[in-house]
Every structure is written in C-alpha cells, then in structure tokens.
C-alpha cells in the first residue's frame, strides 16, 4: 500500500477499509453499523477514546461509572469492534500456571468480572463456561510445564486449585498431579485422561477450570449500545460514537486561558489547568480534549511512531470449520468437543506450535481454530493489513486439527477412533491484527514525553499490546487506565506493575531482543509455550 513507504520499521499503518470477513461479523448490530451519534464530528470533549474494541468499550463503561458527567467521544477507523476483538478466536482464559502468580490472579479477576457481568445483564454473547485443555505434543515442553504447576502447588495452592495435570497412563509424580486428582467425582476422574480429553497422542495436558468461549463482538456491541442508550440521562454527560472515522494524527498545545472544560462539563476533571490539550486529527476534522486514550492495540504505532519497536503489529489467522462427521439422524446431537483448547509444541520442536480452538454451540457446532503462524511469511510479524488470508496458513488450519484432536462423534464417551489428518470444510477464514509487546506484557498508562506524550499529567494514555492474550487482560487494564486518569497520584490501581508504562520499563524492554527475534524462537507470550493467539 502507498502508506507503507512512509512508515518506520515496525510501524503500523491505518486499519484497511477492506478487511477479511470475520465469523463474528456474520450477525452485526443494527444500531452500530455506520453509527455516528452526531452528524458532525464534535470539536471538543472531556475524553477522546481511539478504538472501539474490548479495551475502548470497557474504558468508556468505567469512565461513565466513575464520572457520568463526562462527554466522551469514541473514534473508530472502521465499523465498531472491527479490529482484533471482532476477529479473535472467541475464547477467554486466564493463564493460571503460565504467568507470575500476581499476574495469574489479575487475569482470573478479569475472567470473573466478565463472567459475572454477562450473567448480571444476561448479555446475549453465547458465553459458555467450560474447562480449558492445554495439550502438549513435546515431551520436553510438558516436563517444564509440570514443574511450573508443581511450583504453583507448593507456593500458591489457591491458584493451583484451578489447575490439574493429565499424564499418560498411571504416570504420577506423587503430588496429586496425575490424570485422576482425588477431589474429582468418579465421572470426572474417568474423563480426565488424554483419551477422555480427545488428545490421545499428546505427551500430556493441563486442564484449567476457568475458561469460556463466547461471541466477542456481541459482548462489545452490548456495552456500546448500553452506553449510547444512556445518552440524555441524569448524568449530564454524553457518549458519542463516530465510526468510519480513522484517527490520522495527534497534536498538542497549551489550553486557552478561558477554557474550563472542552466537553462542556464544568466539574473538576483532575486535569491541571496548565496541562496540554490534545487534538486528534481525522479526515472529517479534529476533536480536542484534555485526555485521550489510545485503545488501538496493534495499530498504536501509527499514532505514536515511538512505539514501533514496543508494540509490533502481527497478523493472526482463524478458520471456522465444519465438524468432519454428521450425526446419524437429525435428532442425534452433533460433535461436542466439550472444552476449549490450546495445542502446543511438536515432538521435534517444543516452541513451534501455538494453536487455539473453541467450538460454537449446536446446531452449527463449527470449530473455531486459529494459529499456524509459523506457516506465514515472517510469522506475520510486522503485518498490519488484514485484507487477505495467507493461503499456507489456511491450508494448515483446514488439515491439521484432525491430527491432534479426536474429532469422532463418540470420542468423549470412549470411542476408539484416533486422531488423523483430514481436511475440514471452512465456512469462514479471516485474519486480524494483534499487538505484540516487546517484553510480552501490555502497556498501560500515561505516555512519557520521550515517547510523544505529556508525562504523568500530560493527558495522553495508552492501553494496548496484549500479545494475542487480550480477552483475560483488557477489561481490568482499561479500568486501570481510567483510574490513572481520574483518581490522582497515590491512588491504588489494580494492575500488575509489569504492565505499567514507565520510562524505566521502556529502557528495559529496549535492552532485550526485538519482537521479530523473540517470536522466531516460538511463543512470545510465555517461556514455556502458552499460546498468544488472536
């Protein structure tokens, strides 16, 4: 594309206007398609949010909870929730054993918040709580994982209660980490074998009890529609969504002497009167505000070129596949794999595979399978264009699943069919852009002046860079960003310190290998291979 010649190494372009068709966009919100709350772009606001995915939508939600009087403008380059959240694998699962304990706890809180929210408001997003199976096809990788779970059981038993290790046969390490933990019911004990989990050829597996599949676009659409429905309420503020309005640039200036509040709310917004005013440029004009949040994930470096080596756009790919067998009669149930899956490692390369799988509910029962980046040119690192699928990856996703998972109708209940290679028929194949972080953690907080921001009280914030692991991180990360905006210095913020955007962290991140180098060695998300998937 013509933009590419103007970009720095690693920098993202704008979201393209002809992306591949995601499965999750097959049913869209009539209220959100083409939505512009006002015909003209507002000239000012209290807060501008760039991006309408899970981060941006929940940031607006938390802002309105904290300050109903705020005037918020949200800018989206394409349709609402048309980026990574609307293109991911449809799963939400915290990394219990594959992260530091405090990060695992944060992700578990994020998962619980979402689960409770869906239940409280009966959000029609097909949330299905299930267990997550992490199947390992490398003996060396599984050995490392077992040690990690053993350490978790020794040091953090409350977290370890969310995890079980499943081994071959009667292989037991004496610490309750075999395939039949004593606290399970008899039926659960029979199922908790590699065969019962449909991964008979794996070297071993880890099962996490907190996992879910969902329709991510519908979750975000509910949040955005609820924010729009609240306009005109008693809070005095507003929520203005402007789709098909790409943010093309940022500029800053000192506030006019007579400026009390750009959005019209006259209450204290925790901004110093000398703090800069940020102007977001779009093809339809500009909008100015004392606070701007970039919820732009893989596209962050387009507005902040200084992030080109910190958050690198990376293309992921997903396919919706028809199950290989039809039920014998229309009244018989379709294939039900019973879990969500991560599929990791190969016998000769521990870090080579990081695939992920969920299943749609009946009657379609489609298998949503993502991964295969090792077959993409350059593993997709540095790619910000999601207008086409990679045929090599598409071929892999169609043909690989049957070789690692027993897809027979009766596999779960004791069928003897074994996994085999077979081409599955796709109904949708699509790509999306992830934001891969140089140190593997999201970046949350005010942008330092050295990176193009205004420092701690400078009004420009980022919440991005999830490395393909956004669903169990984005919501509470967005809340932390909002708390940083309005709770003031010294407030207690619920956020792992590794996620905080600081000068010291930037320097440390730039002291390690670049994303493209680390990713070429295998999964960037964790040293021992829990997948970072779209």
């Amino acid at each position: 594309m013509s933009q590419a010649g103007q970009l720095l190494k690693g920098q993202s372009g704008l979201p393209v206007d002809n992306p591949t068709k995601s499965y999750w966009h097959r049913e869209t919100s009539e209220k959100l398609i083409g939505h512009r709350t006002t015909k003209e772009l507002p000239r000012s606001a209290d807060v501008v949010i760039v991006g309408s995915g899970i981060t941006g939508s929940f940031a607006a939600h938390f802002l309105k909870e904290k300050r109903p009087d705020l005037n918020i403008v949200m800018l989206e380059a394409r349709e609402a929730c048309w980026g990574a959240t609307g293109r991911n694998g449809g799963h939400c699962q915290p990394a219990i054993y594959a992260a530091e304990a405090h990060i695992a706890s944060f992700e578990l809180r994020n998962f619980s918040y979402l689960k409770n929210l869906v239940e409280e408001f009966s959000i029609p997003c097909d949330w299905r709580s299930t267990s997550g199976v992490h199947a390992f096809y490398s003996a060396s990788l599984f050995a490392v994982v077992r040690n990690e779970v053993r350490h978790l059981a020794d040091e953090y038993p409350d977290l370890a209660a969310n995890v079980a290790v499943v081994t071959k046969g009667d292989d037991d390490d004496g610490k309750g980490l075999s395939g039949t933990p004593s606290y399970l019911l008899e039926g659960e004990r029979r199922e908790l074998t590699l065969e019962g989990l449909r991964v008979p050829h794996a070297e071993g597996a880890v099962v996490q009890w907190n996992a879910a599949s969902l329709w991510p676009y519908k979750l975000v659409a509910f949040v955005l529609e609820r924010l729009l429905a609240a306009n005109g309420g008693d809070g005095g503020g507003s929520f203005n969504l402007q789709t098909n309005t790409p943010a093309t640039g940022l500029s800053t200036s000192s506030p006019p002497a007579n400026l009390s509040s750009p959005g019209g709310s006259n209450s204290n917004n925790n901004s110093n009167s000398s703090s800069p005013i940020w102007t977001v440029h779009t093809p339809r004009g500009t909008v100015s505000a004392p606070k701007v949040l970039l919820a732009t994930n893989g596209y962050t470096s387009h507005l902040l070129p200084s992030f080109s080596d910190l958050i690198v756009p990376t293309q992921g790919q997903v396919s919706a596949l028809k199950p290989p067998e039809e039920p014998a009669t229309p009244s018989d149930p379709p294939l039900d794999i019973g879990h969500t899956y991560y599929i990791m490692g190969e016998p000769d390369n521990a870090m080579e595979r990081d695939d992920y799988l969920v299943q749609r509910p009946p009657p379609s029962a489609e298998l949503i399978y993502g991964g295969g980046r090792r077959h993409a040119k350059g593993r997709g690192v540095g790619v910000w264009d999601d207008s086409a699928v990679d045929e090599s990856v598409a071929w892999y996703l169609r043909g690989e699943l049957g070789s690692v998972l027993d897809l027979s109708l009766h596999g779960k209940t004791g069928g003897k069919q074994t996994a085999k290679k077979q081409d599955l028929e796709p109904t949708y194949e699509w790509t999306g852009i992830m934001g891969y972080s140089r140190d593997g953690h999201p970046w949350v907080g005010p942008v330092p002046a050295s990176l193009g921001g205004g420092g701690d009280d400078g009004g420009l914030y980022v919440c991005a860079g999830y490395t393909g692991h956004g669903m169990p991180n984005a919501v509470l990360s967005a809340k932390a960003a909002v708390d940083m905006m309005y709770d003031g210095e010294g407030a207690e913020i619920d956020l792992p310190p590794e996620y905080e955007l600081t000068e010291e962290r930037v320097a440390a991140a730039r002291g390690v290998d670049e994303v493209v180098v680390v990713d070429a060695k295998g999964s960037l998300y964790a040293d021992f291979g829990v997948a970072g998937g779209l």
Side-chain angles (χ1 to χ4, degrees):
M1 300 182 65
S2 59
Q3 285 188 68
Q6 305 168 14
L7 301 175
L8 301 176
K9 178 186 176 183
Q11 186 181 6
S12 171
L14 284 170
V16 299
D17 57 9
N18 59 334
T20 51
K21 182 67 178 292
S22 164
Y23 178 96
W24 310 117
H25 294 147
R26 62 190 292 181
E27 296 178 20
T28 54
S29 164
E30 292 183 3
K31 296 179 181 178
L32 297 180
I33 292 296
H35 181 91
R36 290 176 177 173
T37 307
T38 56
K39 182 179 179 180
E40 301 297 329
L41 183 69
R43 296 298 304 275
S44 61
D46 294 311
V47 183
V48 173
I49 299 173
V50 183
S52 65
I54 190 169
T55 300
S57 63
F58 275 92
H61 166 77
F62 291 123
L63 280 166
K64 281 297 187 179
E65 276 194 340
K66 185 180 291 288
R67 292 284 303 275
D69 61 313
L70 291 175
N71 290 318
I72 301 170
V73 171
M74 177 177 285
L75 304 177
E76 172 54 55
R78 303 189 289 211
E79 298 290 351
C81 195
W82 228 250
T85 308
R87 300 175 171 277
N88 66 28
H91 61 167
C92 181
Q93 185 175 167
I96 300 298
Y97 68 93
E100 295 292 331
H102 64 285
I103 294 178
S105 296
F106 178 80
E107 293 191 11
L108 191 57
R109 291 195 298 277
N110 194 103
F111 176 87
S112 298
Y113 176 89
L114 271 178
K115 181 176 183 291
N116 293 337
L117 188 77
V118 169
E119 293 172 352
E120 178 183 356
F121 291 98
S122 300
I123 300 176
C125 64
D126 292 351
W127 181 280
R128 183 188 184 191
S129 294
T130 180
S131 50
V133 176
H134 300 185
F136 296 90
Y137 288 82
S138 160
S140 61
L141 179 58
F142 183 57
V144 174
V145 167
R146 289 190 74 180
N147 285 334
E148 290 294 331
V149 178
R150 184 179 296 109
H151 172 74
L152 191 71
D154 290 340
E155 300 295 329
Y156 304 97
D158 289 347
L159 282 174
N162 295 283
V163 178
V165 171
V166 182
T167 59
K168 290 182 175 180
D170 296 325
D171 179 17
D172 193 337
D173 64 2
K175 290 183 174 287
L177 298 180
S178 71
T180 55
S182 60
Y183 55 81
L184 295 178
L185 300 175
E186 184 62 28
E188 294 172 321
R189 290 163 65 100
R190 284 198 302 269
E191 181 180 291
L192 207 60
T193 63
L194 296 180
E195 291 75 15
L197 296 173
R198 292 181 175 269
V199 288
H201 303 303
E203 294 293 332
V206 173
V207 179
Q208 294 194 158
W209 307 125
N210 292 284
S213 61
L214 72 155
W215 193 309
Y217 170 85
K218 289 186 176 181
L219 170 66
V220 169
F222 180 91
V223 174
L224 293 175
E225 288 179 7
R226 188 167 180 265
L227 287 163
L228 290 169
N231 279 331
D234 296 334
S238 65
F239 175 71
N240 191 315
L241 171 62
Q242 297 284 326
T243 64
N244 299 296
T245 306
T248 56
L250 293 168
S251 61
T252 185
S253 61
S254 299
N258 62 351
L259 182 65
S260 59
S261 173
S265 64
N266 294 315
S267 55
N268 176 24
N269 64 8
N270 233 26
S271 289
N272 188 299
S273 60
S274 62
S275 297
I277 296 297
W278 289 91
T279 298
V280 184
H281 299 257
T282 83
R284 299 174 54 222
T286 62
V287 55
S288 298
K291 295 184 186 296
V292 172
L293 173 63
L294 302 184
T296 42
N297 205 30
Y299 298 102
T300 300
S301 61
H302 184 76
L303 292 172
L304 285 177
S306 57
F307 273 77
S308 296
D309 64 330
L310 300 175
I311 301 177
V312 178
T314 301
Q315 186 186 75
Q317 189 158 318
V318 188
S319 292
L321 305 167
K322 290 184 178 181
E325 293 186 59
E326 294 287 341
T329 69
S331 61
D332 290 338
L335 171 68
D336 181 2
I337 61 176
H339 312 273
T340 65
Y341 287 84
Y342 284 130
I343 300 167
M344 289 165 284
E346 291 187 342
D348 58 349
N349 192 325
M351 306 303 293
E352 189 61 24
R353 188 201 327 250
D354 57 350
D355 301 341
Y356 41 97
L357 171 71
V358 304
Q359 186 175 29
R360 297 289 301 132
S364 69
E366 287 158 302
L367 301 160
I368 310 298
Y369 185 39
R373 281 197 304 112
R374 71 182 186 274
H375 296 284
K377 182 179 179 181
R379 296 177 61 92
V381 177
V383 178
W384 46 267
D385 184 339
D386 54 9
S387 63
V389 298
D390 186 301
E391 286 302 325
S392 296
V393 178
W395 172 85
Y396 167 85
L397 294 175
R398 293 181 210 130
E400 179 68 11
L401 187 54
S403 68
V404 292
L405 203 71
D406 182 355
L407 296 176
S408 61
L409 280 172
H410 304 291
K412 183 178 177 182
T413 55
K416 299 302 182 182
Q417 296 187 41
T418 58
K420 60 182 179 180
K421 272 195 175 291
Q422 53 192 314
D423 286 333
L424 303 181
E425 181 183 348
T427 58
Y428 283 80
E429 296 174 315
W430 70 97
T431 53
I433 306 305
M434 302 174 282
Y436 265 44
S437 168
R438 184 157 182 171
D439 63 6
H441 298 299
W443 298 83
V444 183
V447 180
S450 61
L451 293 178
D456 290 346
D457 195 30
L460 181 63
Y461 294 78
V462 160
C463 188
Y466 299 111
T467 314
H469 196 57
M471 293 301 289
N473 274 294
V475 170
L476 293 189
S477 293
K479 185 178 187 301
V482 167
D483 291 342
M484 292 175 183
M485 285 183 181
Y486 283 100
D487 283 355
E489 187 176 352
E492 186 172 339
I493 306 295
D494 181 16
L495 187 74
E498 291 89 343
Y499 293 13
E500 294 179 20
L501 173 50
T502 65
E503 297 269 16
E504 293 76 17
R505 180 185 166 196
V506 171
R510 286 177 169 160
V512 301
D513 286 337
E514 295 181 359
V515 166
V516 66
V517 175
V518 176
D519 187 67
K521 300 174 183 178
S523 171
L524 184 65
Y525 176 62
D527 289 342
F528 48 91
V530 170
L534 183 70

